[in-house]
C-alpha cells in the first residue's frame, strides 16, 4: 500500500468516525468464510456497517478526528473490525445474538454518543442502552399517565372543581 493510498484510507476512516455517533470495535478473527458471511448478512439486515480495518490506520484516523476517543485506541491490537450504527445498542444486540452460535465476535470497545466502553465484559451493559427513540417513548408514556388521570377525573366529577379534586385525591390514595 502506497503512502497516498494510506492517506486516502485514513481520510475515509476519519470521515466515518465523524459521521457516526456509535462505533464498535470487535475481533472477528477465526471465523470461517460461511460464518463471516452470516455475520455480514446479519449486520446488513440490522443496518450496521461492518468493515475490517488496519489498526495503525484507524489509530491515525482517531488522532485526526475532532472526537475524544479516550482509551479506545488501546484496544487496537490483533484483528479489528469496525461496526457503525445509528442506534447505540444494535451492534451489541447483534454480537450477543451471534455469539449464541459462535464464540466470536468479541467486543474490544465501543464509542457510544461520546462515551467510551472498553472490553467484552461491557457487552450486556451496551445491550441495555436505550436509543433516543426508546427514551422519548418512555417519557411520553410517563407524561400521558397523569393526563389520563385528569381526563378521567373531569369525566367522573361532572366538571366541577371540587369533584375533580376529590376524584384525583382518591386516585392518589
Amino acid at each position: 500500500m502506497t503512502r497516498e493510498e494510506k492517506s486516502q484510507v485514513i481520510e475515509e476512516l476519519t470521515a466515518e468516525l465523524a459521521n457516526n455517533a456509535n462505533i464498535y470495535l470487535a475481533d472477528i478473527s477465526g471465523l470461517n468464510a460461511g460464518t463471516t458471511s452470516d455475520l455480514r448478512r446479519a449486520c446488513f439486515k440490522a443496518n450496521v456497517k461492518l468493515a475490517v480495518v488496519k489498526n495503525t490506520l484507524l489509530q491515525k484516523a482517531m488522532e485526526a478526528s475532532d472526537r475524544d476517543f479516550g482509551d479506545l485506541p488501546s484496544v487496537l491490537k490483533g484483528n479489528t473490525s469496525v461496526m457503525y450504527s445509528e442506534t447505540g445498542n444494535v451492534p451489541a444486540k447483534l454480537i450477543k445474538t451471534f455469539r449464541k452460535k459462535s464464540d466470536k465476535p468479541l467486543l474490544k470497545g465501543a464509542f457510544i454518543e461520546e462515551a467510551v466502553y472498553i472490553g467484552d465484559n461491557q457487552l450486556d451493559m451496551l445491550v441495555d442502552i436505550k436509543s433516543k427513540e426508546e427514551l422519548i417513548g418512555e417519557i411520553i408514556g410517563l407524561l400521558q399517565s397523569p393526563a389520563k388521570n385528569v381526563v378521567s377525573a373531569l369525566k367522573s366529577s361532572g366538571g366541577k372543581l371540587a369533584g375533580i379534586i376529590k376524584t384525583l385525591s382518591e386516585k392518589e390514595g
Side-chain angles (χ1 to χ4, degrees):
M1 186 178 270
T2 67
R3 184 171 292 197
E4 291 80 23
E5 290 171 331
K6 287 180 182 177
S7 290
Q8 179 67 30
V9 170
I10 292 169
E11 282 180 38
E12 290 169 5
L13 283 171
T14 304
E16 285 285 357
L17 294 175
N19 293 332
N20 290 283
N22 305 300
I23 302 159
Y24 281 68
L25 303 178
D27 177 3
I28 64 170
S29 65
L31 295 180
N32 64 33
T35 310
T36 302
S37 179
D38 291 344
L39 176 61
R40 289 190 180 280
R41 196 172 301 110
C43 286
F44 180 78
K45 285 180 182 175
N47 201 23
V48 173
K49 184 176 178 184
L50 176 68
V52 178
V53 295
K54 284 188 160 282
N55 291 329
T56 54
L57 300 181
L58 181 57
Q59 185 164 0
K60 288 183 190 300
M62 285 179 167
E63 291 166 3
S65 171
D66 294 337
R67 293 187 167 161
D68 178 12
F69 288 100
D71 291 336
L72 203 55
S74 69
V75 303
L76 296 176
K77 297 172 181 73
N79 181 299
T80 302
S81 295
V82 183
M83 301 171 96
Y84 304 104
S85 174
E86 289 181 23
T87 308
N89 64 1
V90 170
K93 288 179 179 178
L94 192 142
I95 290 170
K96 190 165 180 140
T97 301
F98 208 79
R99 290 229 308 245
K100 291 177 182 173
K101 299 179 233 163
S102 174
D103 60 341
K104 297 267 176 113
L106 290 176
L107 177 68
K108 294 173 124 186
F111 179 84
I112 312 295
E113 304 281 343
E114 307 293 326
V116 176
Y117 301 86
I118 304 290
D120 194 61
N121 60 334
Q122 302 292 313
L123 188 61
D124 287 332
M125 184 180 1
L126 291 169
V127 166
D128 293 337
I129 287 178
K130 294 194 184 312
S131 70
K132 288 178 186 175
E133 292 79 14
E134 290 170 324
L135 287 174
I136 290 169
E138 284 185 11
I139 290 169
I140 289 171
L142 291 171
L143 292 174
Q144 284 178 341
S145 181
K148 287 177 183 172
N149 289 344
V150 171
V151 170
S152 70
L154 283 169
K155 287 179 181 174
S156 66
S157 68
K160 294 190 168 48
L161 188 56
I164 294 170
I165 293 170
K166 181 180 179 209
T167 304
L168 285 174
S169 64
E170 287 171 359
K171 287 191 180 224
E172 285 182 17

